[in-house]
Short mmCIF file of all heavy atoms in Angstrom, two decimals:
data_model
loop_
_atom_site.label_atom_id
_atom_site.label_comp_id
_atom_site.label_asym_id
_atom_site.label_seq_id
_atom_site.Cartn_x
_atom_site.Cartn_y
_atom_site.Cartn_z
N MET A 30 4.47 -14.40 9.02
CA MET A 30 4.46 -13.20 8.27
C MET A 30 5.81 -12.90 7.71
O MET A 30 6.82 -13.08 8.41
CB MET A 30 3.92 -12.02 9.04
CG MET A 30 3.84 -10.71 8.38
SD MET A 30 3.21 -9.33 9.48
CE MET A 30 1.44 -9.57 9.31
N LYS A 31 5.82 -12.44 6.46
CA LYS A 31 7.11 -12.12 5.78
C LYS A 31 6.96 -10.73 5.05
O LYS A 31 5.92 -10.46 4.51
CB LYS A 31 7.46 -13.19 4.82
CG LYS A 31 8.93 -13.21 4.37
CD LYS A 31 9.21 -14.49 3.58
CE LYS A 31 10.68 -14.48 3.05
NZ LYS A 31 11.64 -14.82 4.13
N ILE A 32 8.05 -10.00 5.08
CA ILE A 32 7.99 -8.66 4.39
C ILE A 32 9.15 -8.55 3.39
O ILE A 32 10.15 -9.22 3.52
CB ILE A 32 8.09 -7.53 5.39
CG1 ILE A 32 9.28 -7.65 6.34
CG2 ILE A 32 6.79 -7.36 6.18
CD1 ILE A 32 9.57 -6.48 7.22
N ARG A 33 8.85 -7.76 2.41
CA ARG A 33 9.94 -7.36 1.44
C ARG A 33 9.67 -5.99 0.94
O ARG A 33 8.51 -5.46 1.02
CB ARG A 33 10.08 -8.36 0.31
CG ARG A 33 8.83 -8.48 -0.52
CD ARG A 33 9.11 -9.54 -1.71
NE ARG A 33 10.11 -9.10 -2.66
CZ ARG A 33 9.89 -8.26 -3.66
NH1 ARG A 33 8.66 -7.84 -3.98
NH2 ARG A 33 10.79 -7.95 -4.53
N ILE A 34 10.63 -5.33 0.40
CA ILE A 34 10.49 -4.03 -0.14
C ILE A 34 10.68 -4.09 -1.70
O ILE A 34 11.66 -4.71 -2.14
CB ILE A 34 11.55 -3.00 0.43
CG1 ILE A 34 11.16 -2.76 1.90
CG2 ILE A 34 11.52 -1.69 -0.30
CD1 ILE A 34 12.23 -1.85 2.61
N GLU A 35 9.72 -3.54 -2.30
CA GLU A 35 9.80 -3.44 -3.91
C GLU A 35 10.75 -2.30 -4.11
O GLU A 35 10.29 -1.19 -4.06
CB GLU A 35 8.39 -3.22 -4.42
CG GLU A 35 8.26 -3.06 -5.89
CD GLU A 35 8.18 -4.42 -6.60
OE1 GLU A 35 7.53 -5.31 -5.97
OE2 GLU A 35 8.74 -4.55 -7.69
N SER A 36 12.04 -2.56 -4.39
CA SER A 36 13.03 -1.54 -4.42
C SER A 36 12.79 -0.52 -5.50
O SER A 36 13.14 0.63 -5.34
CB SER A 36 14.43 -2.18 -4.53
OG SER A 36 14.44 -2.96 -5.72
N ALA A 37 12.17 -0.93 -6.58
CA ALA A 37 11.82 0.05 -7.64
C ALA A 37 10.88 1.08 -7.28
O ALA A 37 10.80 2.23 -7.81
CB ALA A 37 11.30 -0.69 -8.92
N ARG A 38 9.99 0.80 -6.20
CA ARG A 38 9.05 1.73 -5.74
C ARG A 38 9.56 2.63 -4.61
O ARG A 38 9.10 3.72 -4.42
CB ARG A 38 7.83 1.06 -5.26
CG ARG A 38 6.95 0.40 -6.27
CD ARG A 38 5.79 -0.27 -5.58
NE ARG A 38 4.86 -0.86 -6.52
CZ ARG A 38 3.70 -0.20 -6.92
NH1 ARG A 38 3.41 0.95 -6.45
NH2 ARG A 38 2.92 -0.80 -7.78
N CYS A 39 10.55 2.09 -3.88
CA CYS A 39 11.03 2.87 -2.71
C CYS A 39 11.60 4.23 -3.01
O CYS A 39 12.46 4.30 -3.92
CB CYS A 39 12.04 1.98 -1.89
SG CYS A 39 12.68 2.73 -0.43
N LYS A 40 11.21 5.25 -2.32
CA LYS A 40 11.66 6.63 -2.59
C LYS A 40 12.52 7.16 -1.39
O LYS A 40 12.88 8.33 -1.45
CB LYS A 40 10.51 7.56 -2.82
CG LYS A 40 9.74 7.23 -4.10
CD LYS A 40 10.48 7.64 -5.36
CE LYS A 40 9.58 7.54 -6.56
NZ LYS A 40 9.51 6.19 -7.10
N GLY A 41 12.72 6.31 -0.37
CA GLY A 41 13.65 6.72 0.72
C GLY A 41 13.08 7.64 1.73
O GLY A 41 13.84 8.33 2.46
N HIS A 42 11.73 7.73 1.88
CA HIS A 42 11.14 8.57 2.96
C HIS A 42 11.61 8.10 4.30
O HIS A 42 11.57 8.95 5.26
CB HIS A 42 9.63 8.53 2.91
CG HIS A 42 9.08 8.63 1.51
ND1 HIS A 42 8.99 9.78 0.94
CD2 HIS A 42 8.50 7.67 0.71
CE1 HIS A 42 8.39 9.62 -0.29
NE2 HIS A 42 8.08 8.33 -0.38
N GLN A 43 11.77 6.81 4.53
CA GLN A 43 12.27 6.21 5.80
C GLN A 43 11.11 6.20 6.84
O GLN A 43 11.33 6.02 8.07
CB GLN A 43 13.50 6.88 6.36
CG GLN A 43 14.65 6.76 5.35
CD GLN A 43 15.91 7.33 5.89
OE1 GLN A 43 16.11 7.58 7.09
NE2 GLN A 43 16.82 7.59 4.99
N ASN A 44 9.86 6.43 6.46
CA ASN A 44 8.71 6.25 7.31
C ASN A 44 8.70 4.81 7.92
O ASN A 44 8.43 4.61 9.11
CB ASN A 44 7.39 6.50 6.63
CG ASN A 44 7.29 7.81 6.06
OD1 ASN A 44 8.16 8.72 6.21
ND2 ASN A 44 6.16 8.08 5.37
N CYS A 45 9.03 3.91 7.08
CA CYS A 45 9.03 2.49 7.55
C CYS A 45 10.06 2.27 8.67
O CYS A 45 9.78 1.53 9.73
CB CYS A 45 9.37 1.54 6.41
SG CYS A 45 10.92 2.00 5.56
N ILE A 46 11.22 2.86 8.55
CA ILE A 46 12.26 2.71 9.59
C ILE A 46 11.84 3.36 10.89
O ILE A 46 12.03 2.82 11.99
CB ILE A 46 13.59 3.33 9.07
CG1 ILE A 46 14.04 2.49 7.82
CG2 ILE A 46 14.68 3.28 10.14
CD1 ILE A 46 15.04 3.22 7.02
N ARG A 47 11.11 4.54 10.82
CA ARG A 47 10.64 5.15 11.99
C ARG A 47 9.51 4.31 12.67
O ARG A 47 9.52 4.22 13.90
CB ARG A 47 10.09 6.51 11.70
CG ARG A 47 11.23 7.57 11.52
CD ARG A 47 10.73 9.00 11.37
NE ARG A 47 10.06 9.20 10.07
CZ ARG A 47 10.75 9.56 8.95
NH1 ARG A 47 12.01 9.73 9.01
NH2 ARG A 47 10.13 9.70 7.81
N ALA A 48 8.73 3.66 11.82
CA ALA A 48 7.63 2.81 12.40
C ALA A 48 8.13 1.51 12.95
O ALA A 48 7.51 1.03 13.94
CB ALA A 48 6.58 2.60 11.30
N ALA A 49 9.10 0.92 12.37
CA ALA A 49 9.53 -0.42 12.78
C ALA A 49 11.03 -0.57 12.55
O ALA A 49 11.59 -1.26 11.70
CB ALA A 49 8.80 -1.44 11.89
N PRO A 50 11.85 0.10 13.46
CA PRO A 50 13.29 0.04 13.27
C PRO A 50 13.85 -1.39 13.54
O PRO A 50 14.95 -1.64 13.10
CB PRO A 50 13.81 1.02 14.40
CG PRO A 50 12.67 1.20 15.35
CD PRO A 50 11.41 0.95 14.53
N GLU A 51 13.09 -2.24 14.14
CA GLU A 51 13.48 -3.68 14.30
C GLU A 51 13.52 -4.41 13.05
O GLU A 51 14.16 -5.48 12.89
CB GLU A 51 12.61 -4.40 15.37
CG GLU A 51 12.51 -3.69 16.69
CD GLU A 51 11.38 -2.75 16.73
OE1 GLU A 51 10.83 -2.32 15.68
OE2 GLU A 51 10.89 -2.44 17.89
N LEU A 52 12.77 -3.90 12.03
CA LEU A 52 12.56 -4.69 10.74
C LEU A 52 13.13 -4.03 9.54
O LEU A 52 13.35 -4.69 8.55
CB LEU A 52 11.01 -4.80 10.56
CG LEU A 52 10.32 -5.57 11.68
CD1 LEU A 52 8.80 -5.48 11.55
CD2 LEU A 52 10.71 -7.01 11.73
N PHE A 53 13.31 -2.75 9.57
CA PHE A 53 13.85 -2.04 8.39
C PHE A 53 15.11 -1.18 8.81
O PHE A 53 15.23 -0.75 9.90
CB PHE A 53 12.77 -1.01 7.87
CG PHE A 53 11.51 -1.65 7.47
CD1 PHE A 53 10.50 -1.74 8.29
CD2 PHE A 53 11.35 -2.22 6.20
CE1 PHE A 53 9.28 -2.34 7.90
CE2 PHE A 53 10.21 -2.78 5.75
CZ PHE A 53 9.16 -2.88 6.63
N ILE A 54 16.01 -1.16 7.83
CA ILE A 54 17.22 -0.31 7.99
C ILE A 54 17.33 0.59 6.71
O ILE A 54 16.80 0.27 5.70
CB ILE A 54 18.54 -1.11 8.22
CG1 ILE A 54 18.70 -2.15 7.03
CG2 ILE A 54 18.48 -1.84 9.51
CD1 ILE A 54 20.03 -2.88 7.09
N VAL A 55 18.14 1.62 6.86
CA VAL A 55 18.43 2.40 5.67
C VAL A 55 19.74 2.00 5.08
O VAL A 55 20.75 1.76 5.82
CB VAL A 55 18.39 3.95 6.06
CG1 VAL A 55 19.48 4.28 7.03
CG2 VAL A 55 18.61 4.77 4.79
N GLY A 56 19.79 1.79 3.79
CA GLY A 56 21.01 1.43 3.08
C GLY A 56 21.88 2.60 2.84
O GLY A 56 21.52 3.78 3.01
N GLU A 57 23.11 2.43 2.35
CA GLU A 57 24.07 3.52 2.07
C GLU A 57 23.55 4.41 1.05
O GLU A 57 23.89 5.61 1.04
CB GLU A 57 25.39 2.93 1.69
CG GLU A 57 26.16 2.30 2.81
CD GLU A 57 27.51 1.77 2.41
OE1 GLU A 57 27.87 2.02 1.24
OE2 GLU A 57 28.18 1.14 3.25
N ASP A 58 22.62 3.94 0.23
CA ASP A 58 22.01 4.77 -0.80
C ASP A 58 20.81 5.58 -0.35
O ASP A 58 20.23 6.35 -1.11
CB ASP A 58 21.56 3.91 -2.06
CG ASP A 58 20.61 2.78 -1.66
OD1 ASP A 58 20.21 2.75 -0.49
OD2 ASP A 58 20.31 1.96 -2.44
N GLY A 59 20.45 5.43 0.92
CA GLY A 59 19.29 6.20 1.46
C GLY A 59 18.01 5.52 1.31
O GLY A 59 16.98 6.05 1.83
N TYR A 60 17.97 4.41 0.65
CA TYR A 60 16.69 3.67 0.49
C TYR A 60 16.60 2.57 1.63
O TYR A 60 17.59 2.13 2.17
CB TYR A 60 16.63 3.07 -0.88
CG TYR A 60 16.56 4.12 -1.94
CD1 TYR A 60 17.68 4.52 -2.59
CD2 TYR A 60 15.31 4.73 -2.27
CE1 TYR A 60 17.60 5.49 -3.57
CE2 TYR A 60 15.21 5.71 -3.23
CZ TYR A 60 16.36 6.10 -3.90
OH TYR A 60 16.29 7.08 -4.85
N ALA A 61 15.40 2.17 1.86
CA ALA A 61 15.08 1.22 2.93
C ALA A 61 15.45 -0.24 2.49
O ALA A 61 15.31 -0.59 1.33
CB ALA A 61 13.69 1.33 3.41
N ARG A 62 15.85 -1.01 3.45
CA ARG A 62 16.08 -2.41 3.28
C ARG A 62 15.35 -3.16 4.46
O ARG A 62 15.17 -2.65 5.51
CB ARG A 62 17.55 -2.82 3.35
CG ARG A 62 18.42 -2.04 2.43
CD ARG A 62 18.50 -2.68 1.08
NE ARG A 62 19.55 -2.10 0.30
CZ ARG A 62 19.47 -0.94 -0.37
NH1 ARG A 62 18.38 -0.20 -0.22
NH2 ARG A 62 20.49 -0.47 -1.11
N VAL A 63 15.01 -4.38 4.17
CA VAL A 63 14.49 -5.28 5.18
C VAL A 63 15.63 -5.84 5.94
O VAL A 63 16.69 -6.29 5.31
CB VAL A 63 13.63 -6.37 4.56
CG1 VAL A 63 13.26 -7.43 5.63
CG2 VAL A 63 12.35 -5.80 3.98
N ARG A 64 15.55 -5.85 7.27
CA ARG A 64 16.57 -6.54 8.08
C ARG A 64 16.48 -7.98 7.90
O ARG A 64 15.40 -8.56 7.97
CB ARG A 64 16.47 -6.17 9.55
CG ARG A 64 16.83 -4.79 9.94
CD ARG A 64 16.76 -4.67 11.44
NE ARG A 64 16.97 -3.33 11.89
CZ ARG A 64 18.12 -2.82 12.22
NH1 ARG A 64 19.18 -3.57 12.15
NH2 ARG A 64 18.19 -1.57 12.63
N GLY A 65 17.63 -8.67 7.73
CA GLY A 65 17.68 -10.13 7.72
C GLY A 65 16.80 -10.74 6.61
O GLY A 65 16.73 -10.20 5.51
N SER A 66 16.15 -11.81 6.95
CA SER A 66 15.37 -12.60 5.97
C SER A 66 13.96 -12.00 5.64
O SER A 66 13.39 -12.46 4.68
CB SER A 66 15.14 -14.05 6.49
OG SER A 66 14.33 -14.00 7.66
N GLY A 67 13.56 -11.08 6.48
CA GLY A 67 12.19 -10.55 6.29
C GLY A 67 11.11 -11.33 7.02
O GLY A 67 9.94 -10.96 7.00
N ASP A 68 11.51 -12.32 7.78
CA ASP A 68 10.54 -13.10 8.60
C ASP A 68 10.21 -12.22 9.78
O ASP A 68 11.09 -11.68 10.47
CB ASP A 68 11.11 -14.40 9.07
CG ASP A 68 11.20 -15.41 7.89
OD1 ASP A 68 10.25 -15.45 7.01
OD2 ASP A 68 12.19 -16.14 7.80
N VAL A 69 8.91 -12.09 10.09
CA VAL A 69 8.49 -11.22 11.13
C VAL A 69 8.04 -12.02 12.36
O VAL A 69 7.16 -12.81 12.21
CB VAL A 69 7.34 -10.29 10.70
CG1 VAL A 69 6.85 -9.38 11.77
CG2 VAL A 69 7.72 -9.51 9.42
N PRO A 70 8.64 -11.76 13.48
CA PRO A 70 8.18 -12.43 14.71
C PRO A 70 6.73 -11.95 15.04
O PRO A 70 6.42 -10.75 14.75
CB PRO A 70 9.19 -11.96 15.82
CG PRO A 70 10.29 -11.29 15.08
CD PRO A 70 9.79 -10.88 13.75
N PRO A 71 5.90 -12.85 15.58
CA PRO A 71 4.55 -12.44 15.85
C PRO A 71 4.42 -11.08 16.71
O PRO A 71 3.51 -10.38 16.50
CB PRO A 71 4.00 -13.61 16.65
CG PRO A 71 4.79 -14.77 16.13
CD PRO A 71 6.15 -14.27 15.85
N ALA A 72 5.37 -10.93 17.56
CA ALA A 72 5.35 -9.75 18.42
C ALA A 72 5.46 -8.41 17.68
O ALA A 72 5.15 -7.39 18.22
CB ALA A 72 6.40 -9.86 19.51
N LEU A 73 6.03 -8.48 16.44
CA LEU A 73 6.19 -7.29 15.69
C LEU A 73 5.20 -7.03 14.51
O LEU A 73 5.32 -6.15 13.72
CB LEU A 73 7.64 -7.33 15.08
CG LEU A 73 8.76 -7.23 16.10
CD1 LEU A 73 10.09 -7.24 15.32
CD2 LEU A 73 8.69 -5.92 16.90
N LYS A 74 4.08 -7.81 14.58
CA LYS A 74 3.05 -7.71 13.55
C LYS A 74 2.40 -6.29 13.52
O LYS A 74 2.22 -5.75 12.37
CB LYS A 74 1.93 -8.69 13.80
CG LYS A 74 0.98 -8.89 12.77
CD LYS A 74 0.01 -10.02 13.06
CE LYS A 74 -1.00 -10.16 11.91
NZ LYS A 74 -1.91 -11.33 12.17
N GLU A 75 2.21 -5.69 14.67
CA GLU A 75 1.63 -4.33 14.63
C GLU A 75 2.63 -3.33 14.01
O GLU A 75 2.15 -2.43 13.27
CB GLU A 75 1.33 -3.88 16.06
CG GLU A 75 0.21 -4.67 16.79
CD GLU A 75 -1.12 -4.42 16.04
OE1 GLU A 75 -1.46 -3.33 15.71
OE2 GLU A 75 -1.89 -5.46 15.89
N GLU A 76 3.85 -3.46 14.23
CA GLU A 76 4.87 -2.56 13.63
C GLU A 76 4.88 -2.67 12.14
O GLU A 76 5.08 -1.68 11.45
CB GLU A 76 6.23 -2.81 14.30
CG GLU A 76 6.50 -2.24 15.62
CD GLU A 76 5.95 -3.15 16.73
OE1 GLU A 76 5.26 -4.12 16.53
OE2 GLU A 76 6.25 -2.82 17.89
N VAL A 77 4.72 -3.96 11.73
CA VAL A 77 4.70 -4.12 10.20
C VAL A 77 3.54 -3.38 9.59
O VAL A 77 3.68 -2.68 8.61
CB VAL A 77 4.54 -5.63 9.87
CG1 VAL A 77 4.15 -5.86 8.44
CG2 VAL A 77 5.87 -6.37 10.17
N LEU A 78 2.36 -3.51 10.25
CA LEU A 78 1.17 -2.91 9.72
C LEU A 78 1.28 -1.41 9.73
O LEU A 78 0.79 -0.69 8.82
CB LEU A 78 -0.08 -3.36 10.45
CG LEU A 78 -0.30 -4.89 10.33
CD1 LEU A 78 -1.54 -5.25 11.17
CD2 LEU A 78 -0.50 -5.33 8.86
N LEU A 79 1.87 -0.88 10.75
CA LEU A 79 2.15 0.58 10.87
C LEU A 79 3.09 1.04 9.76
O LEU A 79 2.86 2.06 9.11
CB LEU A 79 2.74 0.93 12.26
CG LEU A 79 2.91 2.39 12.58
CD1 LEU A 79 1.53 3.04 12.65
CD2 LEU A 79 3.58 2.51 13.99
N ALA A 80 4.16 0.32 9.54
CA ALA A 80 5.11 0.68 8.52
C ALA A 80 4.43 0.61 7.13
O ALA A 80 4.59 1.53 6.30
CB ALA A 80 6.32 -0.26 8.51
N TRP A 81 3.69 -0.47 6.92
CA TRP A 81 2.98 -0.66 5.63
C TRP A 81 2.03 0.60 5.41
O TRP A 81 1.97 1.12 4.29
CB TRP A 81 2.23 -1.91 5.65
CG TRP A 81 1.39 -2.19 4.39
CD1 TRP A 81 1.81 -2.74 3.24
CD2 TRP A 81 0.00 -1.95 4.26
NE1 TRP A 81 0.82 -2.83 2.32
CE2 TRP A 81 -0.35 -2.34 2.93
CE3 TRP A 81 -0.98 -1.40 5.07
CZ2 TRP A 81 -1.61 -2.20 2.45
CZ3 TRP A 81 -2.24 -1.29 4.54
CH2 TRP A 81 -2.59 -1.66 3.28
N ALA A 82 1.30 0.98 6.42
CA ALA A 82 0.25 1.99 6.28
C ALA A 82 1.02 3.34 6.05
O ALA A 82 0.31 4.21 5.49
CB ALA A 82 -0.59 1.99 7.57
N ASN A 83 2.24 3.50 6.47
CA ASN A 83 2.86 4.80 6.41
C ASN A 83 3.84 4.88 5.17
O ASN A 83 4.54 5.90 5.06
CB ASN A 83 3.67 5.04 7.66
CG ASN A 83 2.74 5.58 8.72
OD1 ASN A 83 2.46 6.79 8.79
ND2 ASN A 83 2.30 4.75 9.64
N CYS A 84 3.87 3.91 4.33
CA CYS A 84 4.66 3.95 3.12
C CYS A 84 3.79 4.51 1.97
O CYS A 84 2.92 3.86 1.47
CB CYS A 84 5.17 2.54 2.70
SG CYS A 84 6.11 2.65 1.19
N PRO A 85 4.14 5.77 1.60
CA PRO A 85 3.29 6.44 0.54
C PRO A 85 3.47 5.82 -0.82
O PRO A 85 2.66 6.19 -1.73
CB PRO A 85 3.72 7.92 0.62
CG PRO A 85 5.10 7.82 1.18
CD PRO A 85 5.11 6.67 2.11
N GLU A 86 4.47 5.04 -1.00
CA GLU A 86 4.72 4.45 -2.39
C GLU A 86 4.25 3.01 -2.49
O GLU A 86 4.48 2.41 -3.54
CB GLU A 86 6.27 4.41 -2.62
CG GLU A 86 6.95 5.83 -2.30
CD GLU A 86 6.47 6.91 -3.20
OE1 GLU A 86 5.98 6.69 -4.33
OE2 GLU A 86 6.54 8.07 -2.75
N PHE A 87 3.61 2.50 -1.49
CA PHE A 87 3.12 1.07 -1.51
C PHE A 87 4.31 0.17 -1.82
O PHE A 87 4.07 -0.78 -2.62
CB PHE A 87 1.92 0.93 -2.49
CG PHE A 87 0.81 1.87 -2.25
CD1 PHE A 87 0.64 3.00 -2.98
CD2 PHE A 87 -0.01 1.64 -1.13
CE1 PHE A 87 -0.42 3.86 -2.75
CE2 PHE A 87 -1.05 2.52 -0.84
CZ PHE A 87 -1.28 3.64 -1.64
N ALA A 88 5.44 0.43 -1.31
CA ALA A 88 6.63 -0.34 -1.66
C ALA A 88 6.79 -1.55 -0.66
O ALA A 88 7.67 -2.41 -1.00
CB ALA A 88 7.89 0.55 -1.54
N ILE A 89 6.06 -1.64 0.38
CA ILE A 89 6.27 -2.72 1.36
C ILE A 89 5.20 -3.83 1.03
O ILE A 89 4.04 -3.57 1.06
CB ILE A 89 6.12 -2.25 2.75
CG1 ILE A 89 7.14 -1.18 3.11
CG2 ILE A 89 6.19 -3.39 3.83
CD1 ILE A 89 6.91 -0.47 4.40
N GLU A 90 5.71 -5.00 0.74
CA GLU A 90 4.85 -6.14 0.51
C GLU A 90 4.82 -7.04 1.82
O GLU A 90 5.91 -7.32 2.33
CB GLU A 90 5.37 -6.98 -0.71
CG GLU A 90 5.26 -6.18 -2.00
CD GLU A 90 5.62 -6.97 -3.23
OE1 GLU A 90 6.03 -8.14 -3.07
OE2 GLU A 90 5.61 -6.44 -4.29
N VAL A 91 3.64 -7.37 2.15
CA VAL A 91 3.40 -8.19 3.35
C VAL A 91 2.74 -9.50 3.04
O VAL A 91 1.72 -9.44 2.40
CB VAL A 91 2.59 -7.43 4.41
CG1 VAL A 91 2.38 -8.32 5.68
CG2 VAL A 91 3.19 -6.08 4.78
N GLU A 92 3.38 -10.57 3.37
CA GLU A 92 2.83 -11.88 3.08
C GLU A 92 2.40 -12.48 4.40
O GLU A 92 3.27 -12.73 5.28
CB GLU A 92 3.89 -12.77 2.43
CG GLU A 92 3.43 -14.12 1.95
CD GLU A 92 4.58 -14.86 1.31
OE1 GLU A 92 5.25 -14.30 0.40
OE2 GLU A 92 4.79 -15.98 1.74
N ASP A 93 1.15 -12.60 4.63
CA ASP A 93 0.60 -13.12 5.92
C ASP A 93 0.25 -14.53 5.74
O ASP A 93 -0.73 -14.87 5.11
CB ASP A 93 -0.58 -12.25 6.32
CG ASP A 93 -1.01 -12.51 7.75
OD1 ASP A 93 -0.48 -13.47 8.32
OD2 ASP A 93 -1.84 -11.77 8.28
N ASP A 94 1.05 -15.38 6.42
CA ASP A 94 0.84 -16.84 6.28
C ASP A 94 -0.30 -17.35 7.06
O ASP A 94 -0.65 -18.50 7.03
CB ASP A 94 2.11 -17.61 6.54
CG ASP A 94 2.88 -17.06 7.68
OD1 ASP A 94 2.23 -16.48 8.60
OD2 ASP A 94 4.08 -17.23 7.68
N GLU A 95 -1.05 -16.46 7.82
CA GLU A 95 -2.16 -16.84 8.62
C GLU A 95 -3.41 -16.80 7.77
O GLU A 95 -4.46 -17.18 8.21
CB GLU A 95 -2.32 -16.01 9.78
CG GLU A 95 -1.20 -16.23 10.85
CD GLU A 95 -1.36 -15.31 12.05
OE1 GLU A 95 -2.43 -14.64 12.20
OE2 GLU A 95 -0.42 -15.30 12.84
N GLN A 96 -3.35 -16.26 6.56
CA GLN A 96 -4.55 -16.15 5.70
C GLN A 96 -4.61 -17.23 4.66
O GLN A 96 -3.59 -17.65 4.16
CB GLN A 96 -4.57 -14.71 5.12
CG GLN A 96 -4.80 -13.64 6.11
CD GLN A 96 -4.83 -12.29 5.50
OE1 GLN A 96 -4.68 -12.04 4.37
NE2 GLN A 96 -5.08 -11.31 6.36
S1 LIG B 125 8.39 4.35 3.62
FE1 LIG B 125 8.22 3.10 1.71
S2 LIG B 125 9.15 4.32 0.15
FE2 LIG B 125 9.74 5.22 2.06
S3 LIG B 125 11.72 4.28 2.65
FE3 LIG B 125 10.17 3.03 3.51
S4 LIG B 125 9.70 1.47 1.99
FE4 LIG B 125 10.78 3.08 0.97
#
């Protein structure tokens, strides 16, 4: 699984960071960033789905390589 943020959509609510602080950080501009490469360890899959569901701008893209 891999994640990325569509930066043009991100409005900086930071719901994603609250849902999955291991995967998202806030940048100096107040908008969210993906930590590292965006590759998600299997143990954090639930956190990704929680972050995705809580992003009101649909700014989080999730690529699930199991499908
Ligand atoms: S919840 Fe969505 S819009 Fe808000 S900071 Fe996170 S990615 Fe950006």
Side-chain angles (χ1 to χ4, degrees):
M30 180 180 274
K31 194 169 179 82
I32 53 173
R33 62 180 292 275
I34 292 177
E35 180 85 36
S36 57
R38 286 179 177 265
C39 181
K40 296 284 190 279
H42 313 284
Q43 301 183 17
N44 298 359
C45 53
I46 296 162
R47 284 188 285 276
E51 304 91 340
L52 299 169
F53 299 94
I54 55 173
V55 61
E57 288 183 4
D58 56 5
Y60 294 96
R62 304 276 189 283
V63 169
R64 286 185 188 269
S66 65
D68 289 320
V69 178
L73 294 179
K74 189 172 180 177
E75 293 294 319
E76 281 83 350
V77 167
L78 298 179
L79 187 63
W81 178 83
N83 280 280
C84 177
E86 311 299 334
F87 304 104
I89 300 172
E90 294 184 0
V91 180
E92 186 179 308
D93 192 347
D94 40 28
E95 291 177 10
Q96 293 179 356

